[in-house]
Structures are given as C-alpha cells and as structure tokens.
Amino acid sequence: MENYRLKYLLGLIVCVMIILTSCDVLEQPAEDFIELDQYFQDENEAIAAVNAISDEAWDTKIGSLSQHGHRSSDEVTNPTYWVNERQREINEYRMDGSNIEVERHWRQHYRYIVMANLVITRVANMTPDQISQEVKDWVMGEAYVWRADSYFKLVTLFGNIPIILTDNMEGLEIEVPESPVEDVYALIISDLEEAERLLPAEFTGSDRGRPIETTATAYLSRVYMQQRNWEKGAEYAKKVIDSGRHWLYDDFKHAFSPLFENGPEHIWSFQIARQPIGRGSNNAWFFAAPRGSNVLEDFRGGLASYVPTIEAFNVFEEDDYRREVSFMTEYVDNDGNTIQWQNFDAPVPHIYKFNDRTLSWEENQDVNRPLIRYSDILLLYAEAMNELGLTDQGLPYLNMVRERARNGDPNAAPQDYPMGMSQNDFRDAVHLERRLELVFEGHRVRDLLRWGTLVESIRALSDPADGAPNPADYIQEHHILWPKPTTQIELNPLLNQNPGYD
C-alpha cells in the first residue's frame, strides 16, 4: 500500500511543471490518485516523500550531470561519434533557447524544487502523533538541502530566475517574476542554514549517505565561495574541518570505490544502487569503456560519450598517482592485445575515476557519485585564506591534499609547496590543485566561473584529436550563462532572455 500511495504522489508531483512546460494529463482514472491531504499521515510517508526527490534525480545520478549541471569545459568534451545534435550544441557553445536539453535542465531542477517545497510545507504541519521530532527535523533538513542544491545549479547556469516556494498541486500561476541573483543566493543560504540546524551529526545503518549537518555546512562554504565572499567561505570550510567528522582516505582511489562508500571523506554523495551495466551509475558505459571496445562483456560495448580533453591529462605530472586512478590509458581486448589510448576510437585517455580496478565492470555499477568530498573543502579553505591575504595559514591545507596524492611515497609527485609563497603564486597553485584533485567531479566550470577564466580556458583548447569541432571556435563572453528556454519565455512574459541570446 505504501508503494501504491507513493507512486501516485509522485505522479501528481511530476505533472506539476511550475513555469515549465505544459504537462499532459496522466491517463490514470481520477480515483487512482491519492489526494495530498490524505498523504503525510505518518513518518513513513514523510520519509518516502523526501526519498522521492532523490529517486526522481535519476538523470543527475547516471551521469548526464557532467553535461547538464556543469557544461563542457577544458576537461571533458564529446567525441565526433556522439551524434545527438542538441548535446553537441551545448558542448560546442552553439546552443540557444530552443535547445531541448536547456529546457530539460530547467524543468528537472524546478521539479526537484516543487518536490522539496511539498516536503517542507507538509511535513512542517505534521503533528507529534504523526511524526517524531527527530524524523521531522531530518526529513525537512534534507528537503532544504535538495532545494538549495537545485537553486544553486539553476542560478549558476541561468542567472536571474523565478523563486518558487509553493507546493500548490491544483494549478499554479505561470507568470512568476524572475528574482535577481542576489535574492536567489539569499534563499539558498537561508535553506542551507535551516538544513544545518535540522540535520543530525551522523546517520547509521541503512541511512548512512543521507545529508548530515556538515553537508549543509560544506555547501554553505561552496555557495559563499562562488559569491567570492572569502571570509564566509573560509568560516564554513573551517567549521567542517574542525568538526572532526571528516578526513582523507590514505589511498586516493578509495574515495571512488564501492568498497569504501559513505566514508569519512564523503560529505555528500549520490547513492547508487547496483544495477546491470547500462543502468545504475552508467560510469562504465558512458565514460570509461572506449567506443568500439569489447571490455564490457555481455553488453553492447563501450560508449564513452564523454571523454577528457588532452589538456586534462597533460596537466598531471607523470608520477602523480591521481593520474593513474583518474584515467584509463589502455585496455586488453578479447584477443589479448593491449590497446593504448592513442588507438582508441577517441584517441585520448578515458575517464576511469569512478571505477575500482580491483572489481569487475558489473561490480563497479553501484559506486556512488561524490558531490562534496573533504579534499574539496580543504582546497576551498586554502583558496579563501589566500584571498584574505593569509597565504601561509592556507598552505598546510593545500599540502594535506598533495601529501595524500603521493600515496605513501615521500619522493613521488606532487611535492609540498614551501612557506612564503606570494599570493599570486599560491592562487595559481590552488587553481592547479583543484584541477588535479577534482577532475571529472563536476566542479571545473563552477571554479572557472568563480575565477573569471571560463572563456579564456575554453579558447586555449587544442583541436580534439578525433576531429570533433572545437568549442574554442564558438565560445563568446555571453556563454558564461545559458540561454533561458524559449518555451518558458513564451509561457511567462515576466522572464527576460539572457544577453547574447536574443
């Protein structure tokens, strides 16, 4: 019965496309639907509702986040054989508001916002005989994290956007004015502050992996850093560091292995359940297995629809252990031949970061996707301290990441940076370290936007080795924001198209 009720609750939620596009009426008879006022009667239904947000975020989980959430950059691109023109337009910075993937991104994240609004408003009204205070707090806290996450992605992509706080499932006004970026960020910060207050210090058992208090704290650091509020960014990063709840794995590769998931380095990860290749996380099929290879047995071969730029590989020192973990440079075919990356269909080393080499392809299908790792917070703190003119105080945190990268070999690369670096040199060092440590984890475009170097970084790309069009030939200054979907502007005359897309 619980699954039945949740199914139709989700049916209602999915059909509500606030300022999105028209939604076809679901064909189930009216009596099949559960009225919202009949739901949220006990804590199991509240938990099911917040779980539904994560369950709906399937596209984020399986890999499209690399394109939709973070755009092409100087670390990932599409090879020529990926023939989906609408995705090519985005990859090459040729899109406009008619691109269906732009519309899709907008719709998906407003959908998550509606669902979070539903949880926040309905669970807040549940009584003590329906839900314990402990469960009420963390369910609402998790919903605040999801809402903040969706608004953060939308505002960094589109700039000024409408703020939607209603959970009205009967029908919504289309004409919602867009709010300035500053107001959207204020809501994100408010949501994360509420989440930090409500979420527990930890979860145990089957609930491990849910957002916890330090998830909200770390996200606050990220949001403040994106606004270049170095003082607040440093404050919240240090709060995570001083919590004592997180530390680095001794081995870099453990941060991306299903054998070590939801560990001390993982501040928040998307939870991926084991499924056959072609489903689940899809890391093997979409990213790692070279197209035309036979490394995925009993399946249709590799797809590798997103591959690294050669610049992303070449920036590593040769004996930096993270390069070995992050890239596939060869594979053995069914005839026992070793195929080097120069002979891949897309002749660049491929993404291998989210696969444990000790496990089979099938066993790697439930590796979680890290969203916030402890090393990210260490590097944000180092960056913030340097920008505040406290370079030497940030240095130990930068070197903590580099020390772990040596994998126990004190003579290996990368070596520690010395005390007494200039602010400019340290800034360059932090920028490099984030590129090395966090490659393929979805942070690169946001970093480039924060540093004001997105356009120049794309323009520095060499032509792809497989002959694909080079984004450097198309990118313009206005591409720091995406166009707003044309369909949404037609539905909502209060929306304004971003400059450069008229």
Side-chain angles (χ1 to χ4, degrees):
M1 180 62 179
E2 175 60 31
N3 288 338
Y4 174 87
R5 290 165 67 85
L6 177 59
K7 174 182 177 182
Y8 289 106
L9 173 72
L10 287 175
L12 285 171
I13 293 170
V14 168
C15 193
V16 176
M17 303 293 185
I18 305 176
I19 62 166
L20 308 180
T21 58
S22 60
C23 176
D24 294 334
V25 176
L26 300 181
E27 295 180 355
Q28 287 86 356
E31 61 268 19
D32 284 350
F33 288 100
I34 302 297
E35 293 292 337
L36 285 178
D37 289 341
Q38 299 175 28
Y39 206 79
F40 296 101
Q41 298 301 308
D42 59 48
E43 63 183 33
N44 289 329
E45 293 184 342
I47 293 169
V50 80
N51 287 347
I53 305 174
S54 176
D55 291 342
E56 263 295 291
W58 64 271
D59 197 54
T60 299
K61 288 183 178 182
I62 65 170
S64 296
L65 178 70
S66 294
Q67 176 177 1
H68 299 302
H70 304 286
R71 296 173 277 181
S72 62
S73 68
D74 55 358
E75 72 175 24
V76 176
T77 187
N78 289 124
T80 54
Y81 49 71
W82 189 247
V83 295
N84 187 324
E85 177 60 21
R86 63 182 186 268
Q87 292 181 338
R88 279 195 162 287
E89 288 175 356
I90 292 174
N91 179 67
E92 296 160 15
Y93 289 92
R94 296 187 289 108
M95 72 286 197
D96 59 27
S98 67
N99 187 294
I100 193 173
E101 298 296 346
V102 173
E103 164 77 16
R104 183 178 174 216
H105 186 86
W106 180 283
R107 279 191 292 108
Q108 282 179 321
H109 283 90
Y110 272 111
R111 181 184 303 170
Y112 308 152
I113 288 166
V114 174
M115 297 174 76
N117 291 345
L118 182 71
V119 174
I120 291 166
T121 57
R122 301 300 172 120
V123 173
N125 292 324
M126 294 178 72
T127 60
D129 62 313
Q130 294 175 314
I131 189 170
S132 69
Q133 191 64 47
E134 177 186 11
V135 174
K136 185 175 187 177
D137 284 350
W138 69 252
V139 165
M140 291 184 63
E142 187 167 328
Y144 277 119
V145 170
W146 277 109
R147 189 167 76 178
D149 178 70
S150 291
Y151 272 120
F152 186 57
K153 290 185 172 72
L154 287 170
V155 76
T156 53
L157 267 184
F158 296 106
N160 299 338
I161 55 172
I163 290 178
I164 304 298
L165 300 177
T166 182
D167 73 336
N168 180 4
M169 308 305 290
E170 297 298 324
L172 297 159
E173 293 295 329
I174 292 296
E175 296 184 6
V176 181
E178 60 186 26
S179 296
V181 166
E182 294 78 11
D183 291 354
V184 181
Y185 270 112
L187 174 64
I188 294 167
I189 289 168
S190 175
D191 280 358
L192 291 172
E193 288 174 342
E194 271 297 282
E196 185 184 41
R197 182 181 68 83
L198 293 168
L199 289 169
E202 64 177 355
F203 281 105
T204 59
S206 61
D207 284 324
R208 287 181 67 226
R210 291 186 179 276
I212 58 175
E213 178 186 359
T214 48
T215 303
T217 310
Y219 217 136
L220 279 163
S221 177
R222 174 177 288 177
V223 169
Y224 277 120
M225 290 293 289
Q226 205 62 28
Q227 295 180 289
R228 300 174 66 83
N229 186 332
W230 312 121
E231 185 174 354
K232 281 291 189 179
E235 175 188 333
Y236 281 99
K238 192 62 162 58
K239 193 173 180 181
V240 174
I241 294 167
D242 291 344
S243 72
R245 296 179 192 139
H246 302 283
W247 55 90
L248 298 176
Y249 282 119
D250 291 338
D251 193 325
F252 177 70
K253 71 181 179 184
H254 290 168
F256 315 102
S257 169
L259 302 178
F260 296 88
E261 63 188 8
N262 299 323
E265 188 164 344
H266 303 119
I267 299 176
W268 189 28
S269 301
F270 277 125
Q271 305 298 299
I272 306 295
R274 174 81 55 85
Q275 296 188 58
I277 291 174
R279 300 178 65 190
S281 72
N282 269 348
N283 284 311
W285 185 44
F286 268 118
F287 297 104
R291 190 175 180 89
S293 72
N294 50 21
V295 296
L296 297 182
E297 296 180 1
D298 301 322
F299 194 60
R300 48 180 162 170
L303 180 63
S305 56
Y306 299 97
V307 298
T309 64
I310 194 62
E311 286 84 1
F313 179 74
N314 287 341
V315 74
F316 283 82
E317 295 181 66
E318 186 174 352
D319 60 344
D320 189 327
Y321 174 62
R322 293 172 297 186
R323 190 178 83 165
E324 174 188 331
V325 172
S326 300
F327 293 87
M328 173 193 283
T329 57
E330 63 182 28
Y331 70 90
V332 178
D333 68 15
N334 283 348
D335 297 323
N337 301 311
T338 298
I339 310 300
Q340 301 291 336
W341 66 262
Q342 293 88 346
N343 295 314
F344 292 180
D345 280 9
V348 289
H350 281 28
I351 301 169
Y352 204 82
K353 193 170 195 176
F354 305 103
N355 294 275
D356 187 326
R357 282 179 166 80
T358 68
L359 303 176
S360 69
W361 291 103
E362 192 72 34
E363 291 170 318
N364 272 311
Q365 285 306 289
D366 64 344
V367 60
N368 292 339
R369 177 59 67 91
L371 294 178
I372 309 177
R373 287 196 295 118
Y374 187 56
S375 58
D376 180 12
I377 298 305
L378 294 173
L379 293 173
L380 286 178
Y381 183 67
E383 179 180 344
M385 295 303 285
N386 182 61
E387 297 300 335
L388 291 169
L390 302 171
T391 301
D392 282 350
Q393 293 184 39
L395 180 64
Y397 301 92
L398 173 60
N399 282 337
M400 284 173 63
V401 176
R402 291 174 73 82
E403 179 184 8
R404 195 270 294 271
R406 294 194 286 273
N407 200 35
D409 181 355
N411 298 315
Q415 289 295 297
D416 285 356
Y417 286 109
M419 295 288 286
M421 296 176 68
S422 72
Q423 187 181 48
N424 284 337
D425 286 346
F426 191 89
R427 183 180 294 122
D428 291 342
V430 171
H431 291 186
L432 173 62
E433 202 61 31
R434 288 188 64 81
R435 190 173 192 185
L436 300 172
E437 174 72 17
L438 303 172
V439 65
F440 311 139
E441 294 182 50
H443 306 303
R444 182 63 177 167
V445 169
R446 186 170 54 245
D447 284 348
L448 294 174
L449 289 171
R450 180 170 72 255
W451 303 331
T453 58
L454 174 65
V455 175
E456 69 178 78
S457 296
I458 298 296
R459 285 178 175 167
L461 286 174
S462 58
D463 288 336
D466 66 342
N470 191 340
D473 296 334
Y474 301 99
I475 192 166
Q476 303 295 324
E477 293 295 335
H478 68 269
H479 288 127
I480 61 173
L481 291 177
W482 270 16
K484 291 169 186 171
T486 303
T487 53
Q488 300 307 314
I489 294 174
E490 293 171 349
L491 288 168
N492 182 1
L494 300 181
L495 283 181
N496 299 305
Q497 185 56 277
N498 285 324
Y501 295 105
D502 295 327

